[in-house]
Amino acid sequence: NLHSLRLFDIDFTGPHPYLFQMQNLEVFEMDLNLEWKLEMLSGLPRLKKLCCRGNNQLTGSLNSVSALSDTLTHLMLEFCDQVTGSLHDLRDLRHTLRELDLRGCDLVTGSLDNLRSFSLLEGLFLEGSSVEPNLSDVTAGDFPSLTTTDALFLKALGRLDTPSNSFTFKSITSIDMEDVPLDAVEINLDVVSYFPNLQRYMYSGGENNDIVGSLNSFLV
């Protein structure tokens, strides 16, 4: 049985019944000549990983992904700007999801607070979406498995009134802000003090972005 399929820059047409047993599906910058909606994921009951980058013909709501609540571990829809919905729509994935990438999905809304119960989440990338960088009453027990994230998470921490010495995110080792649509973002370097085990901080900024804070923050 076919378990994995990777498609890159091709025309994808015709019926494909062999996809029903698919566990990993990766689609990159394809010219889809058939209609493809997230609602169709219900026909892939064993899907564990969906990776789709830069496909503006993928439509539908995140609510449709709940059909895969028992299997899906990776949902990566980077720059699929026709996808709609809210992070709240993903609540049924809180016991399985390990990576969520919605960078550049500007029709996706919600708040970081919607993900607090996702205890297995290791990678979180939301910059360029319409998700609000809100974390209310955050504690050291939140996001216990998170190792890599991006600017939206940093912006949320920058809004906190709680001093960073009161709790830390020990699991986070990497901040990745490369190749994301940072529009008029202010990056405060001081928030890295929340990450005592940080090993990698990657940033490629645009002309409208400001970096504030001190490089001494990396020496804490």
Side-chain angles (χ1 to χ4, degrees), residues 85-143:
S86 167
L87 292 186
H88 182 67
D89 296 331
L90 300 176
R91 59 192 179 278
D92 290 341
L93 302 179
R94 62 187 180 277
H95 299 305
T96 61
L97 201 63
R98 294 182 180 273
E99 183 166 354
L100 178 63
D101 190 342
L102 298 173
R103 285 177 285 190
C105 297
D106 57 356
L107 299 181
V108 173
T109 61
S111 167
L112 277 177
D113 278 330
N114 298 137
L115 300 177
R116 295 165 70 106
S117 61
F118 286 59
S119 59
L120 299 180
L121 198 61
E122 299 172 358
L124 178 61
F125 309 97
L126 298 171
E127 191 57 58
S129 70
S130 294
V131 173
E132 290 294 325
N134 296 330
L135 285 174
S136 57
D137 301 322
V138 66
T139 69
D142 293 324
F143 303 96

Side-chain angles (χ1 to χ4, degrees), residues 16 19 30 61 77 87 111 124 134 149 154 162 176 178 188:
H16 299 279
L19 295 182
M30 285 175 51
S61 171
L77 303 177
L87 292 186
S111 167
L124 178 61
N134 296 330
T149 189
L154 268 63
T162 307
D176 188 350
E178 289 189 297
N188 191 332

Side-chain angles (χ1 to χ4, degrees), residues 34-44 64:
L34 81 166
E35 186 179 13
W36 187 29
K37 298 181 179 180
L38 286 176
E39 286 80 356
M40 295 178 178
L41 292 177
S42 60
L44 304 175
S64 304

